Amino acid sequence: MTAPTRLQQEIAERILHLVREDALAPGAWLNENATARRLGVSRTPVRAALDHLAAQGVVRRHLNKGIEILSLPVVGDTALPPEEIELAMVRLAHERENGLLPDEVSEQEVMRRYDLGRPEAQKLLARLAGLDMVERKPGYGWRFLHAPRDRRLRDESYRFRLVIEPLGLLEPGFRLEPGWIAEMRARHVEALERPWRDSSSIAFYEMNAAFHEGLAAATQNRFFHSAVRRQNQLRRLSNYDWGLGFERVQVNCTEHIAMLGHLEAGENEVASALMRSHLLRASKLDLGLRLAGAAAP
């Protein structure tokens, strides 16, 4: 069996953290889709992480029934909870976006700056690598793959998205996968109901990115999809460094849910108009925050 990647190992540990947080015992069941929603990631890495846990005898997959918990590994006393790694990533995003973190960093520097042990620093860097945010340098250290977004880049990004994303909903071949709207609506409702913490910005952004990428994929045009994925990569760290609080999360989710409703009813023209107003409002808010010197969304 192929050895799991660091990203798969990290997601497996986050799944175990959720199991312990929910006080689940052997014999309880997990749902792959619900777990992916809670972690704010797609089903593919969650499926791979669950397969890794199954190979260790922690869970067993039952066809058409779900995943049964068989046993729970003993937690080491020195391991940091996933929440602490999420907070470290938020701090890293803030420092990177504000020019406080250079283009290249070492594992030791990540440990020192964010009070992490070596395993936690490795997990953080592996997760960023899995998101195509950093790459390992030959021999030693890590390199960021994208420069911090300055004002001009942010403005150009919004102008580009204002052209591409609303029109994508009007493509003649536009077709959403069965169940996608229901799953995405459930993820947004759950985000609205979940208590907001400083580390919540990461899961919120990944859900937001999945929403926009899912709509782009539904155009059946690889160029639309590739363009939106690229935009999500470029704005990932600036959105991890979330400075708007839960109020803006509520607005964002409400607007997304409204678009889903119109798409479900076949009213793509209305959804397209809502997408344009959604992006235009976000761009104006982004500009206002930057002019005021606040953290950028």
Side-chain angles (χ1 to χ4, degrees), residues 4-281:
T5 65
R6 286 188 177 181
L7 180 61
Q8 291 166 358
Q9 290 177 321
E10 193 268 341
I11 291 178
E13 291 180 13
R14 293 174 66 197
I15 291 172
L16 291 175
H17 177 74
L18 290 181
V19 168
R20 295 186 180 97
E21 194 174 62
D22 293 346
L24 299 180
W29 292 81
L30 293 174
N31 179 277
E32 190 175 283
N33 292 340
T35 301
R37 288 197 300 269
R38 289 188 66 181
L39 295 178
V41 298
S42 67
R43 284 174 292 177
T44 300
V46 168
R47 185 176 301 117
L50 288 168
D51 289 341
H52 170 56
L53 292 174
Q56 294 180 315
V58 176
V59 301
R60 177 189 296 140
R61 188 184 295 276
H62 295 264
L63 187 64
N64 299 324
K65 290 184 64 177
I67 295 94
E68 181 186 7
I69 300 172
L70 299 180
S71 64
L72 291 176
V74 177
V75 181
D77 295 335
T78 59
L80 283 175
E83 169 87 9
E84 295 299 321
I85 300 177
E86 301 268 289
L87 288 171
M89 190 174 292
V90 171
R91 290 173 57 198
L92 179 147
H94 176 78
E95 293 189 357
R96 176 62 180 166
E97 287 299 301
N98 286 276
L100 302 176
L101 202 59
D103 292 340
E104 298 181 359
V105 295
S106 67
E107 191 176 281
Q108 287 75 15
E109 184 174 6
V110 170
M111 293 167 58
R112 178 183 58 81
R113 294 181 76 106
Y114 308 115
D115 298 321
L116 298 175
R118 187 175 301 277
E120 289 77 22
Q122 290 174 342
K123 291 172 187 175
L124 187 152
L125 289 165
R127 186 167 173 187
L128 289 176
L131 294 168
D132 293 326
M133 301 308 298
V134 300
E135 66 178 3
R136 188 186 292 275
K137 292 172 56 183
Y140 181 78
W142 295 78
R143 178 187 299 112
F144 283 97
L145 296 177
H146 311 293
R149 298 204 309 161
D150 59 21
R151 175 174 177 176
R152 180 178 177 182
L153 186 61
R154 288 171 182 271
D155 291 340
E156 290 178 356
S157 174
Y158 273 117
R159 297 308 307 172
F160 179 76
R161 294 177 65 200
L162 278 163
V163 172
I164 292 295
E165 295 198 48
L167 290 180
L169 304 183
L170 304 179
E171 279 291 286
F174 186 90
R175 185 180 70 256
L176 287 165
E177 293 295 325
W180 186 86
I181 288 178
E183 179 183 348
M184 193 55 60
R185 182 184 285 121
R187 289 180 66 175
H188 281 69
V189 170
E190 187 176 1
L192 289 172
E193 295 174 346
R194 189 184 306 126
W196 182 261
R197 297 180 289 189
D198 289 342
S199 61
S200 299
S201 59
I202 295 176
F204 171 66
Y205 175 72
E206 295 303 335
M207 179 194 71
N208 180 74
F211 173 84
H212 288 278
E213 287 183 26
L215 294 179
T219 65
Q220 312 303 317
N221 185 318
R222 70 193 70 183
F223 295 102
F224 275 92
H225 192 201
S226 176
V228 172
R229 288 188 65 188
R230 174 66 173 172
Q231 289 299 311
N232 282 340
Q233 285 181 335
L234 290 174
R235 64 195 186 95
R236 180 167 266 108
L237 284 182
S238 63
N239 278 262
Y240 282 4
D241 182 26
W242 185 258
L244 299 171
F246 187 61
E247 182 177 352
R248 179 58 196 171
V249 171
Q250 292 174 304
V251 172
N252 185 289
C253 289
T254 301
E255 292 177 350
H256 280 191
I257 290 172
M259 280 183 257
L260 292 173
H262 288 291
L263 289 171
E264 191 171 40
E267 299 168 349
N268 288 41
E269 294 83 359
V270 179
S272 175
L274 289 177
M275 176 65 81
R276 178 171 176 79
S277 64
H278 172 72
L279 293 173
L280 191 59
R281 186 178 298 110

